[in-house]
Amino acid sequence: MLPSVSLLQSLQPSQWSAMLVIYLVAITAEAMSGALAAGRRDMDVFGVAVIAFVTALGGGTLRDMVLGHYPIGWTQHPEYVFLVIAAGLLTTLVARHMHRLQRVFLVLDGMGLVAFSLIGCSVALELDYPLFVVVISGMLTGISGGILRDVLCNQVPVVFRRELYASVSLAVCLLFLALRSLDVHAEVNTIVCFVLGLGLRLLAIRFHWRLPVFSYQQRWE
Amino acid sequence: MLPSVSLLQSLQPSQWSAMLVIYLVAITAEAMSGALAAGRRDMDVFGVAVIAFVTALGGGTLRDMVLGHYPIGWTQHPEYVFLVIAAGLLTTLVARHMHRLQRVFLVLDGMGLVAFSLIGCSVALELDYPLFVVVISGMLTGISGGILRDVLCNQVPVVFRRELYASVSLAVCLLFLALRSLDVHAEVNTIVCFVLGLGLRLLAIRFHWRLPVFSYQQRWE
Amino acid sequence: MLPSVSLLQSLQPSQWSAMLVIYLVAITAEAMSGALAAGRRDMDVFGVAVIAFVTALGGGTLRDMVLGHYPIGWTQHPEYVFLVIAAGLLTTLVARHMHRLQRVFLVLDGMGLVAFSLIGCSVALELDYPLFVVVISGMLTGISGGILRDVLCNQVPVVFRRELYASVSLAVCLLFLALRSLDVHAEVNTIVCFVLGLGLRLLAIRFHWRLPVFSYQQRWE
């Protein structure tokens, strides 16, 4: 086991402070997107807090439950929980101005997608799961918070219908493992994944890149 | 660890028989609410039984899965499983008369909310989780059965939209921990939590107390 | 512990090769049903792959999480994961011809229902859970993949509304345990469960056997 991977996973604010900052920014951005989704369903502020929590920390929770990785991450980090709840509640105050920050928000959300994917890979590597599980763990961490948000808000998950999103998570996980197998240093690997992953996501938004859609309206019987 | 907390959690019918009775009443009431929700979606009797089960025991199941607390409670208590399935199926027979019992039902449901919250706190305390996790565990046990019910019935969880409900769970958890830190005897603590928690819930229903709603209809792009 | 049960559960391709073949056919059929459901929601091919995966392997995943059975089955079997993703993606190519194969598809799906139920029972038996948990484990494995598919596709689970389906799973689990308690040889037991379970399912489809529906449209207050 590479010690750097261990550090990445446990996210101690030592030499990995950059990763920690990005993680905190990411869960904040995810919490805000959860709060807005709750607002579209006219939820009360308690519902806003719960959806913010689930969107930001639900992906990692589901990953830990699937991998049998106890105790689950946020149970050891009250500061993450208070941060995402505060971010969700503050969003209700600033929501009407947020469309002006749309571009910033999309960049933060993209950074979160990459950060979550890398963290998910690292946790599964720590636990010595086979490589295909590592990739699934990365994607699970990256996209399932948004899926849980959409299920709780009673809508079809947007992650399967908009510009490249889940695919960016997959690409990041594969790139991370490829560079790792070439013994690229973990810090360099992380930086390369961020630059290329975030770049791919932003290009996809800019040029409306989407995967082919499968539309099937036939009814049997 | 306080032995009383342990007793509360394991719910042995010894000196804690009052708590056990309340728990059984609570899962019965939750099962009935699940059955009615299934009926609103025209499910068959199997669906009714499943939704009753999930509504009554799903919150504790999710809590145990999040906390890594195995084996999950109901797997050791067939009587709970048979009780909630029977309650769900019987509800289909008496449903048309149930609106006359609305007030009784709301009291039972409120008792269940308090009982589930206290049990959720106790389980997390047993497992030595930090106090903020204890509170989340209490709320998870208190409200997530109803959330799972609504997700399976394809509607936005009502728990985030009606009179104070999740907030009552939060208040009960905080009160329980506050009194516990003051070394109040566990039985007294439980009674105080019940009186104040149930009182708050019933007042909220009577006077239509709600949390502020966050309504956000803006679409970006 | 009966070794045969252990073999059934671990699904090694030795003398249990028939069971393995049926299992592979079953997860393929489930993956295809997931892909079609994703197509009805106009998902992109990534969404198709995810829904195929969840429909085929989500029931077993949920069972393992409820029973605390780690590592979860598919994490040790990359071939299952690749098979269901490939089946989901191929479905997008052949979907418009699939209505011609409707009958074949229903038979495969019925075989999957029986196979999943038996495997779910076996896993819980392995873990020494009480018999009522064994039955629930069988049903959870049999039907919850389809429930997760429907929740992710934002519709009320069809499993609770159409011809006998969940009931077939229950009947198979009870029959399996009854024959096992009579010391019927595991292979004979499995064959009898398949013949009767699949027969019941196909008869139910042919003659539109349904459970009684509970319809409750009353609104209180």
Side-chain angles (χ1 to χ4, degrees):
Chain A
M1 193 58 50
L2 299 175
S4 52
V5 169
S6 168
L7 284 166
L8 176 62
Q9 183 257 325
S10 59
L11 281 171
Q12 292 311 319
S14 51
Q15 62 269 56
W16 280 96
S17 54
M19 191 66 186
L20 179 64
V21 168
I22 289 169
Y23 177 74
L24 295 178
V25 167
I27 59 177
T28 304
E30 294 302 306
M32 295 173 81
S33 95
L36 294 181
R40 292 200 181 95
R41 293 300 187 175
D42 304 312
M43 290 192 188
D44 62 34
V45 291
F46 206 105
V48 168
V50 171
I51 304 293
F53 178 90
V54 169
T55 309
L57 301 177
T61 304
L62 192 57
R63 174 205 64 220
D64 285 346
M65 286 161 67
V66 166
L67 300 183
H69 179 233
Y70 293 101
I72 286 177
W74 57 260
T75 65
Q76 310 305 307
H77 291 281
E79 67 276 16
Y80 298 172
V81 174
F82 293 128
L83 174 65
V84 299
I85 291 174
L89 294 179
L90 279 173
T91 301
T92 65
L93 301 179
V94 302
R96 63 188 154 179
H97 306 296
M98 279 186 63
H99 64 281
R100 290 184 211 155
L101 299 171
Q102 185 176 357
R103 291 190 187 183
V104 176
F105 192 78
L106 285 172
V107 172
L108 299 183
D109 180 72
M111 289 170 68
L113 179 62
V114 178
F116 282 10
S117 302
L118 292 177
I119 293 168
C121 288
S122 303
V123 172
L125 282 172
E126 283 281 300
L127 298 170
D128 280 326
Y129 273 100
L131 288 188
F132 79 100
V133 178
V134 172
V135 173
I136 292 175
S137 172
M139 288 192 289
L140 199 58
T141 315
I143 70 175
S144 59
I147 293 174
L148 290 171
R149 174 197 65 209
D150 291 344
V151 166
L152 287 177
C153 292
N154 198 25
Q155 58 187 22
V156 177
V158 294
V159 70
F160 301 139
R161 307 213 285 186
R162 63 180 176 191
E163 292 91 354
L164 299 187
Y165 191 85
S167 329
V168 173
S169 178
L170 174 60
V172 165
C173 296
L174 293 176
L175 178 62
F176 176 73
L177 287 182
L179 295 179
R180 186 172 172 278
S181 75
L182 298 172
D183 287 323
V184 172
H185 189 280
E187 278 188 59
V188 176
N189 191 343
T190 304
I191 292 169
V192 171
C193 287
F194 256 100
V195 171
L196 294 184
L198 187 57
L200 176 60
R201 172 70 182 138
L202 296 180
L203 285 171
I205 295 171
R206 174 72 185 78
F207 295 107
H208 299 290
W209 290 343
R210 291 166 191 268
L211 288 179
V213 164
F214 172 47
S215 196
Y216 181 75
Q217 300 312 328
Q218 218 160 12
R219 289 276 156 197
W220 300 356
E221 80 215 309
Chain B
M1 194 58 51
L2 298 176
S4 51
V5 170
S6 168
L7 285 166
L8 177 62
Q9 183 256 323
S10 60
L11 281 173
Q12 291 311 319
S14 52
Q15 63 269 58
W16 280 96
S17 54
M19 190 68 187
L20 179 63
V21 169
I22 289 169
Y23 177 75
L24 295 178
V25 167
I27 58 177
T28 304
E30 294 303 306
M32 296 173 81
S33 96
L36 294 182
R40 292 200 181 94
R41 293 301 188 177
D42 304 312
M43 290 192 188
D44 63 33
V45 291
F46 206 105
V48 169
V50 171
I51 304 292
F53 178 91
V54 169
T55 309
L57 301 177
T61 304
L62 192 57
R63 173 203 65 220
D64 285 346
M65 286 162 64
V66 166
L67 300 183
H69 180 234
Y70 293 101
I72 285 176
W74 56 260
T75 65
Q76 310 305 307
H77 291 280
E79 67 276 16
Y80 298 171
V81 173
F82 294 127
L83 174 65
V84 300
I85 291 174
L89 294 179
L90 279 174
T91 301
T92 65
L93 301 179
V94 301
R96 62 187 155 179
H97 306 297
M98 280 188 63
H99 65 282
R100 290 184 211 157
L101 299 171
Q102 185 177 358
R103 289 189 188 184
V104 176
F105 192 79
L106 285 172
V107 172
L108 299 183
D109 179 73
M111 289 170 68
L113 179 63
V114 178
F116 282 9
S117 302
L118 292 177
I119 293 168
C121 288
S122 303
V123 172
L125 283 171
E126 283 282 301
L127 299 170
D128 280 327
Y129 274 100
L131 288 187
F132 79 99
V133 178
V134 171
V135 173
I136 292 174
S137 172
M139 288 193 290
L140 198 59
T141 315
I143 69 175
S144 59
I147 293 173
L148 289 171
R149 173 198 64 209
D150 292 344
V151 166
L152 288 176
C153 292
N154 198 26
Q155 57 187 23
V156 176
V158 294
V159 69
F160 300 140
R161 307 213 285 187
R162 64 181 174 188
E163 292 90 354
L164 299 187
Y165 193 86
S167 328
V168 172
S169 178
L170 173 60
V172 165
C173 296
L174 293 175
L175 178 63
F176 176 73
L177 288 182
L179 295 179
R180 185 171 173 277
S181 74
L182 298 171
D183 287 322
V184 172
H185 189 279
E187 280 188 57
V188 176
N189 192 343
T190 304
I191 292 169
V192 171
C193 286
F194 257 99
V195 171
L196 294 183
L198 187 57
L200 176 60
R201 171 71 182 139
L202 295 180
L203 286 171
I205 294 172
R206 175 71 185 77
F207 295 108
H208 300 290
W209 291 343
R210 290 166 193 268
L211 288 178
V213 164
F214 173 47
S215 195
Y216 181 75
Q217 300 312 330
Q218 217 161 13
R219 289 275 154 198
W220 299 356
E221 79 216 305
Chain C
M1 192 59 51
L2 299 175
S4 52
V5 169
S6 167
L7 284 167
L8 176 62
Q9 182 257 324
S10 60
L11 282 171
Q12 291 312 319
S14 52
Q15 64 270 56
W16 279 96
S17 54
M19 190 68 186
L20 178 63
V21 168
I22 288 168
Y23 177 75
L24 295 178
V25 167
I27 59 176
T28 304
E30 294 302 307
M32 294 173 82
S33 97
L36 294 182
R40 292 200 182 95
R41 293 300 188 177
D42 304 313
M43 290 192 188
D44 62 35
V45 291
F46 206 104
V48 169
V50 171
I51 304 293
F53 178 91
V54 169
T55 309
L57 301 177
T61 304
L62 192 57
R63 174 204 64 221
D64 285 347
M65 286 161 66
V66 165
L67 300 182
H69 180 231
Y70 293 101
I72 286 177
W74 57 259
T75 64
Q76 311 304 306
H77 291 280
E79 67 276 16
Y80 298 171
V81 174
F82 293 126
L83 174 65
V84 300
I85 290 174
L89 295 178
L90 280 174
T91 301
T92 65
L93 301 179
V94 301
R96 63 189 154 178
H97 306 297
M98 279 188 63
H99 64 282
R100 291 184 210 157
L101 299 171
Q102 184 176 359
R103 288 186 189 187
V104 176
F105 192 78
L106 286 172
V107 172
L108 299 183
D109 180 72
M111 289 170 67
L113 179 63
V114 179
F116 282 10
S117 302
L118 292 177
I119 293 168
C121 288
S122 304
V123 172
L125 282 172
E126 284 281 302
L127 299 170
D128 280 326
Y129 274 101
L131 288 187
F132 79 99
V133 178
V134 171
V135 173
I136 292 175
S137 172
M139 288 193 289
L140 198 58
T141 315
I143 70 175
S144 58
I147 293 174
L148 290 171
R149 173 198 65 208
D150 293 344
V151 166
L152 288 177
C153 292
N154 198 26
Q155 57 189 24
V156 177
V158 294
V159 70
F160 301 139
R161 307 212 285 186
R162 64 181 173 188
E163 292 90 355
L164 299 187
Y165 192 86
S167 328
V168 173
S169 177
L170 173 60
V172 165
C173 296
L174 293 176
L175 178 63
F176 176 73
L177 287 182
L179 295 179
R180 185 171 173 278
S181 74
L182 298 171
D183 287 324
V184 173
H185 189 281
E187 279 188 58
V188 176
N189 192 342
T190 304
I191 291 168
V192 171
C193 286
F194 257 98
V195 171
L196 294 183
L198 186 57
L200 177 60
R201 171 71 183 139
L202 295 180
L203 286 171
I205 295 172
R206 175 72 184 76
F207 295 107
H208 299 292
W209 290 344
R210 290 166 192 267
L211 288 178
V213 163
F214 173 47
S215 197
Y216 181 76
Q217 301 312 329
Q218 217 161 14
R219 290 274 156 199
W220 298 357
E221 79 218 309

